[in-house]
Amino acid sequence: MLTMDDVAAIPLFSSLPRQQIERLTRNAADISLSVNEFAVHAGEEPALYAVLSGRIEVVKTFDGVEKTLGWRNPGQIFGEVPIALGSPFPGSYRAAEPSRVMRIELQHYYALAAIAPDVSQKVSALARERIGGLQSLAAEPQKPRVTLVCDRWDTAGGDIRRFLARNQISFNWLTPDSPDLPAQWSGPCPPEESCPALRFPDGETLLRPNIRTLADRLGLQTKPRIAEYDVAIIGAGPAGLAAAVYGASEGLRTIVIEREAPGGQAGTSSRIENYLGFPSGVSGDELASRALQQARRLGAEILVTRAVEHIDPAAHRITLDGGEIVQARTLILATGVTWRRMSIEGFDRFIGKGIYYGAARSEVGATHGLNIHLVGAGNSAGQAALYFANHANTVTLVVRGDSLEKSMSQYLIDQIRAKSNITALLHSEIVAVHGETNLTAIDIRSNQSGETSRHDCGGVFNFIGADAETSWLPPEIARDARGFVLTGDDLRKTGQAFPDRDPYLLETSVPGVFACGDVRLSPVKRVAAAVGEGSMAIAFVHQYLAREGRKAASA
C-alpha cells in the first residue's frame, strides 16, 4: 500500500500540503511489476504514473520493430503527454527490472490540478519538453458534467453513482461532511435529508431525483422518436449493442431499449483480457462505451431507464413503463442474465453498502486500502481480483470448489499467483454478514473442517453464476426450465417448429422474434459469442423481412 513517504518522495508531489499527499495515497493505485511486465500499453487511456522504485523502459513498435525511446527512473513521471494531448498513450512502458509505480486516474489528476496549479504547470512543462512546441492543455482541468452530494452508504446515491459511471457521465462526488464541499458547491450546502443532491454547471440543482429525471436532464434519450422501427432490441449488453451496430449500419430503423445503462453484465467487468483486438485487455464499461458510440453514430436510437412492461409477440409491439408503445417489424431479445443472488440472512440489506454484484471500475474507490472478498472462481472473479489488488489492502477469493483451474483461465491463475495480496480460500463459503449501516465483517465456513471464522471485510463482490430473468415474457415465447429462451434447433427438438418452415437459428417460437446472447439457451456464455450472435440476429432479421415481403407481394 502507498504511504505518505512514497508519495512525498516524488519531486512532483513533494511540496504538496499534507492533506493533498494523504488524498493521493487514498486514490492512487500501487502497482508492482515484474521484469518485462507492462505498466501501460500503447493505446491505453491517459493517466499519470510515477516510478517509486526500479526502472521503466519506454518502447514503441515501428514497422514491426520495437525500439526503445527512453527510460523512467525512481521519482520520474510518465503519462504527461497523453494528459496534455487528451489522447491515448503513444508508447508502452515496461519494467526493465522489478519495479513499483503509482497510477493516478485522470479524474483524480484533474482534481489535484484544480487545487494545486503548480502540479499541472510542471506536468505541462514536462510535456512541452518531451514533445517540443506542445501548448499547455494539462493546466485546463476538465469540468465534470454534474456534482453529486450524498453519503457513501446512501442507497439512492449509490444507484446514481453507478448510473452516471455506466453511462460515461463525468461527475464529482462529495459527501455531506467533505471539507471540499463549501468550495465546490456554491451557495448554501444541501442538508443531509435533501441528498442525493446534484448540481449542474449552469447552477440548476436536483434534490433526490429519480434516475429517469436525471437521464432526461443529462440529455440521454428516454423516448422513441418515430412510430415504427424495422427492429426493436430489448437489452443493451454486448449482444444488443452488436445487433444495434449491424442493424443501423445496414439501413434498418433500429431502437434499443435498456432499463438501466448500456453494457449489461459485461459492463460490470473490471477487465476482459481475452477479447479479440485488445492486446492489453479492455474493461467492460470501455467496451460498452465504444459500442454505444458506434451504434449511435450509425443511427441507432438507444433508450435508457426504460423497462418493458409487456410484449405482444404476434404484433411485435412493446409496451414501455408509462404506457408508451414501440412498434416494430421484428424484435430481438438480448436481455442477458443477472448475477445469482446469495441466500444469506441480511445479505440484501448491505447491497450497495459493502456488497456488490459484479465489479465495475466505478466501484474501485470503495475498496481502497480495505480487505475485500470475491465470491466465485470464474474468469470474471479472476479479472476483478487482479484489478482490485492494485487498490485494496488484500483480496480474497472465496471458492466452494477445490481449485481455480476447473473454472478459470490459466493466464488469470498465473497472474493471481504472482500477486502477493491475493489469496484463495478453497472449500469455503460465506455464511453470515455483519455491520450496522454498512458491511464490516463476514463469517466464512471451511467445508473441509467445518470451522467458521470471522474476517474484517470492506466489501464482498459476488460472481457465483447467473440466471435468466425471463418470467416477464409472454407464454408464447418458449423457454426451458431455467428460463433460457429456446431458439432454432432447440425448438425443433421439442416439437415447437413452425408449420410452414423451420425457425432460423436464433429465432424464438414466435416468427420474427429473435434471441441472442446469454438469455438464449446455449452452452457458450462469452462476450465474444454474444457479440457474434448479435450480428447474426440481424442477418436473420433480413431473411425474415425478405420472406415477409415476398409473401405480401404474392398475396
Side-chain angles (χ1 to χ4, degrees):
M1 296 297 299
L2 284 172
T3 67
M4 292 185 64
D5 288 341
D6 289 330
V7 176
I10 306 298
L12 179 64
F13 307 131
S14 60
S15 59
L16 287 175
R18 179 183 177 87
Q19 181 183 5
Q20 299 308 321
I21 292 177
E22 214 168 50
R23 178 177 294 180
L24 282 174
T25 65
R26 293 197 307 267
N27 292 333
D30 183 359
I31 303 173
S32 295
L33 304 169
S34 54
V35 177
N36 292 327
E37 188 176 1
F38 285 89
V40 62
H41 292 267
E44 289 194 26
E45 294 304 304
L48 187 66
Y49 291 75
V51 182
L52 302 174
S53 63
R55 197 176 190 215
I56 303 296
E57 182 183 15
V58 188
V59 296
K60 188 173 178 64
T61 300
F62 297 92
D63 296 325
V65 179
E66 184 183 272
K67 294 184 178 180
T68 298
L69 302 183
W71 303 87
R72 300 293 182 269
N73 297 308
Q76 294 183 314
I77 66 169
F78 56 94
E80 68 291 334
V81 170
I83 288 175
L85 294 176
S87 63
F89 273 86
S92 300
Y93 292 76
R94 181 174 60 203
E97 59 188 61
S99 303
R100 185 168 163 238
V101 300
M102 61 181 285
R103 180 181 66 219
I104 304 169
E105 300 290 355
L106 201 57
Q107 66 187 80
H108 296 308
Y109 166 76
Y110 281 127
L112 175 64
I115 297 169
D118 276 356
V119 169
S120 65
Q121 290 169 9
K122 291 174 183 177
V123 169
S124 178
L126 187 56
R128 288 197 303 271
E129 176 186 329
R130 286 180 174 158
I131 54 169
L134 177 68
Q135 295 298 312
S136 173
L137 299 177
E140 297 292 333
Q142 294 180 343
K143 292 183 179 179
R145 291 181 61 183
V146 63
T147 296
L148 168 66
V149 178
C150 68
D151 184 77
R152 178 179 180 182
W153 305 116
D154 182 89
T155 302
D159 291 342
I160 289 174
R161 294 201 310 274
R162 283 185 286 276
F163 172 78
L164 293 172
R166 294 194 62 191
N167 279 282
Q168 310 296 315
I169 304 296
S170 61
F171 66 98
N172 187 23
W173 169 43
L174 300 165
T175 57
D177 58 355
S178 171
D180 298 331
L181 181 59
Q184 299 191 39
W185 187 280
S186 58
C189 296
E192 200 161 342
E193 60 271 16
S194 297
C195 295
L198 296 103
R199 172 72 58 83
F200 296 88
D202 63 3
E204 181 183 353
T205 300
L206 293 180
L207 302 178
R208 303 193 68 82
N210 63 46
I211 297 294
R212 188 171 309 158
T213 299
L214 177 57
D216 287 332
R217 175 59 180 80
L218 290 166
L220 300 175
Q221 186 179 352
T222 61
K223 297 178 181 179
R225 292 174 181 154
I226 61 177
E228 184 183 53
Y229 297 85
D230 294 314
V231 58
I233 303 160
I234 304 174
L241 289 174
V245 166
Y246 280 85
S249 69
E250 294 172 14
L252 299 177
R253 294 168 298 170
T254 304
I255 187 170
V256 180
I257 302 163
E258 170 57 50
R259 66 180 177 181
E260 295 176 2
Q265 191 186 66
T268 66
S269 177
S270 54
R271 203 75 180 166
I272 303 169
E273 295 280 1
N274 56 355
Y275 191 79
L276 184 67
F278 291 87
S280 57
V282 61
S283 68
D285 56 3
E286 182 183 354
L287 186 64
S289 174
R290 294 184 181 206
L292 181 64
Q293 292 174 31
Q294 192 174 18
R296 283 177 171 157
R297 180 178 61 81
L298 293 167
E301 294 182 32
I302 314 289
L303 304 191
V304 296
T305 73
R306 298 308 300 266
V308 174
E309 284 191 347
H310 176 69
I311 291 178
D312 182 340
H316 300 160
R317 184 179 299 117
I318 298 170
T319 303
L320 302 178
D321 53 348
E324 282 181 276
I325 300 297
V326 174
Q327 182 66 54
R329 298 169 67 196
T330 60
L331 304 179
I332 295 178
L333 305 176
T335 51
V337 292
T338 58
W339 292 113
R340 191 167 300 148
R341 298 283 164 168
M342 295 186 70
S343 55
I344 299 172
E345 185 178 351
F347 203 82
D348 289 349
R349 183 167 66 92
F350 293 124
I351 292 177
K353 301 178 179 181
I355 291 178
Y356 308 89
Y357 287 90
R361 290 199 297 179
S362 59
E363 308 289 3
V364 73
T367 71
H368 205 87
L370 302 177
N371 301 318
I372 67 169
H373 294 73
L374 278 57
V375 183
N379 281 0
S380 293
Q383 290 157 356
L386 289 167
Y387 184 72
F388 285 152
N390 293 327
H391 295 267
N393 182 40
T394 62
V395 177
T396 303
L397 288 162
V398 182
V399 181
R400 282 187 177 182
D402 58 4
S403 73
L404 297 178
E405 280 79 3
K406 291 181 179 179
S407 53
M408 189 180 294
S409 296
Q410 190 61 45
Y411 78 92
L412 287 172
I413 295 172
D414 293 341
Q415 291 181 47
I416 284 171
R417 286 174 176 163
K419 288 283 188 180
S420 61
N421 63 335
I422 301 179
T423 57
L425 293 180
L426 305 178
H427 304 286
S428 300
E429 60 183 306
I430 297 175
V431 293
V433 293
H434 305 279
E436 294 295 329
T437 59
N438 59 278
L439 180 73
T440 57
I442 59 175
D443 290 346
I444 298 178
R445 182 179 63 213
S446 167
N447 293 328
Q448 280 187 317
S449 67
E451 295 180 356
T452 297
S453 55
R454 182 160 298 184
H455 303 255
D456 291 338
C457 181
V460 169
F461 295 83
N462 182 39
F463 302 89
I464 58 167
D467 294 317
E469 286 190 352
T470 55
S471 58
W472 59 277
L473 288 174
E476 294 91 332
I477 298 177
R479 285 150 281 166
D480 75 349
R482 298 173 57 204
F484 291 95
V485 177
L486 301 179
T487 60
D489 287 339
D490 290 310
L491 290 173
R492 286 190 287 270
K493 292 174 184 175
T494 57
Q496 299 181 73
F498 308 141
D500 59 337
R501 66 175 175 89
D502 286 337
Y504 298 117
L505 178 64
L506 300 180
E507 196 170 19
T508 71
S509 52
V510 177
V513 179
F514 302 85
C516 58
D518 288 354
V519 73
R520 188 178 79 90
L521 179 63
S522 169
V524 180
K525 304 296 182 187
R526 299 278 188 178
V527 174
V531 170
E533 289 186 9
S535 62
M536 288 169 57
I538 294 300
F540 294 126
V541 163
H542 282 297
Q543 292 183 41
Y544 172 82
L545 292 176
R547 180 185 177 87
E548 291 301 297
R550 290 193 297 270
K551 286 169 61 177
S554 62

